[in-house]
């Protein structure tokens, strides 16, 4: 576990903040091209109150891709057809109702943030899930639903008629995921404000991988990867930013553990 989420002493406040802890959990489906050529074709969101776990205020809309053709692979994934987009509002109009929030969350927040361009705090549930559930087999959204596992019973009615990779379906699952992440990590924090500050920091940093995704130690737990290999990852130019960040984290952790071991008093004779 990263030092960003160590246990923190809980100090009751005589003057608790009267602030909102509502997060707009959002998902987008696109035409499936490179960023500069892409187009948003569907947006879905729900609001999650972190203070009580309530999921509410679902919204969903199609968006006119303005002549951008849907990539065939993307179409096979989200199954959005040209007929479904007929009469859809342009993106600038479609996104407007979603902008009335101050905190957003998405499973791969950098993807949604770059396409929606909504101002505010953004939380990445993928990066947070890596901290909360490092031993889960995989950290894609549907893998987390299956392997954490997540209880979708209170959103089951809204999920009916939808499927994975539709914007509202994924937003609902992501909201349940964020609720579970909060339950897992909040005990390590002073309060919800502290949790949100730490969560935002994690979301803006590279991902702390649970397993390496390539090379000789692909899919190996980090505790099984030799330090000399991690040092090579750090030195190698052009290496994946998440891998470098993860390697540095574990090298520092091992160094700290070695210093702590040396500092222990010798056993009594």
């Amino acid at each position: 576990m990263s030092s960003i989420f160590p246990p923190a002493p809980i100090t009751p406040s005589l003057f608790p903040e009267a602030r909102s802890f509502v997060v707009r959990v959002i998902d987008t489906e696109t035409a499936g091209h490179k960023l500069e050529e892409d187009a948003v074709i569907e947006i879905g969101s729900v609001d999650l109150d972190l203070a009580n776990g309530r999921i509410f205020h679902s919204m969903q809309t199609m968006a006119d891709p303005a002549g951008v053709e849907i990539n065939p692979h993307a179409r096979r994934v989200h199954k959005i057809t040209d007929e479904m987009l007929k009469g859809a509002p342009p993106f600038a109009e479609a996104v407007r109702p979603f902008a009335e929030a101050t905190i957003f969350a998405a499973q791969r927040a950098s993807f949604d943030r770059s396409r929606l361009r909504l101002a505010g705090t953004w939380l990445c549930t993928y990066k947070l899930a890596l901290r909360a559930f490092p031993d889960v087999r995989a950290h894609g959204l549907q893998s987390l639903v299956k392997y954490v596992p997540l209880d979708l019973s209170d959103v089951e009615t809204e999920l009916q008629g939808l499927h994975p990779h539709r914007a509202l379906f994924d937003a609902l699952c992501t909201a349940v995921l964020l609720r579970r992440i909060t339950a897992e990590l909040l005990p390590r924090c002073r309060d919800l404000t502290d949790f949100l500050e730490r969560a935002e920091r994690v979301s803006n940093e590279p991902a702390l991988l649970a397993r390496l995704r390539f090379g000789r130690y692909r899919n190996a737990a980090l505790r099984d990867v030799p330090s000399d290999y991690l040092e090579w990852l750090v030195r190698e130019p052009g290496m994946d930013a998440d891998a470098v960040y993860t390697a540095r984290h574990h090298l520092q952790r091992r160094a700290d553990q070695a210093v702590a071991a040396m500092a222990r008093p010798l056993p009594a004779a």
Side-chain angles (χ1 to χ4, degrees):
M1 180 62 61
S2 167
S3 59
I4 291 177
F5 280 105
I10 299 175
T11 305
S13 173
L14 296 176
F15 305 99
E17 288 185 85
R19 62 164 292 183
S20 171
F21 294 104
V22 174
V23 179
R24 179 149 295 169
V25 185
I26 199 161
D27 184 79
T28 57
E29 300 301 329
T30 72
H33 300 286
K34 296 179 182 178
L35 178 58
E36 62 272 16
E37 303 167 348
D38 212 352
V40 171
I41 59 175
E42 186 181 36
I43 311 170
S45 78
V46 293
D47 289 348
L48 166 66
D49 190 336
L50 293 178
N52 57 28
R54 185 167 72 99
I55 295 172
F56 61 103
H57 191 211
S58 61
M59 295 191 292
Q60 183 181 31
T61 184
M62 296 296 185
D64 185 351
V68 176
E69 294 186 3
I70 300 176
N71 179 288
H73 173 72
R75 191 189 298 277
R76 285 194 294 272
V77 172
H78 52 54
K79 300 180 176 63
I80 295 174
T81 65
D82 294 328
E83 289 72 22
M84 295 165 67
L85 295 174
K86 286 182 178 178
F91 170 76
E93 180 182 333
V95 75
R96 195 173 298 130
F98 298 89
E100 298 172 357
T102 57
I103 308 174
F104 298 92
Q107 171 63 3
R108 298 272 185 171
S110 61
F111 177 92
D112 298 272
R113 187 176 192 174
S114 66
R115 284 151 176 79
L116 296 174
R117 302 186 290 279
L118 296 173
T121 297
W122 279 80
L123 307 181
C124 180
T125 53
Y126 165 69
K127 293 179 181 178
L128 289 168
L130 284 165
R131 309 294 182 116
F133 314 112
D135 297 324
V136 169
R137 183 183 304 183
H139 290 82
L141 180 57
Q142 292 309 311
S143 294
L144 289 163
V145 169
K146 180 178 180 179
Y147 295 121
V148 169
L150 299 180
D151 180 5
L152 304 177
S153 58
D154 65 331
V155 297
E156 186 174 4
T157 300
E158 291 194 77
L159 291 173
Q160 289 178 2
L162 300 173
H163 57 77
H165 306 295
R166 287 297 302 273
L168 183 55
F169 186 103
D170 286 357
L172 286 160
C173 292
T174 303
V176 175
L177 171 60
L178 180 56
R179 183 171 63 187
R180 181 66 185 276
I181 288 170
T182 305
E184 186 74 18
L185 296 179
L186 185 59
R188 300 185 175 96
C189 304
R190 289 186 296 275
D191 50 28
L192 274 171
T193 298
D194 184 37
F195 166 76
L196 283 172
E197 289 173 355
R198 299 192 200 196
E200 183 181 9
R201 179 178 166 190
V202 165
S203 299
N204 288 329
E205 292 179 346
L208 182 64
L209 303 176
R211 298 174 181 272
L212 291 180
R213 299 183 294 207
F214 59 87
R216 186 189 312 170
Y217 294 96
R218 181 177 182 181
N219 293 326
L222 268 298
R223 63 179 174 271
D224 299 327
V225 179
S227 292
D228 58 353
Y229 190 82
L230 297 180
E231 291 166 354
W232 170 80
L233 282 179
V234 171
R235 295 193 307 267
E236 190 69 9
M239 191 60 67
D240 174 76
D242 292 342
V244 172
Y245 178 83
T246 301
R248 284 179 174 156
H249 168 84
H250 284 278
L251 287 170
Q252 184 62 53
R253 187 175 182 180
R254 292 176 189 184
D256 293 344
Q257 290 171 342
V259 170
M262 290 169 49
R264 292 194 190 106
L266 294 173

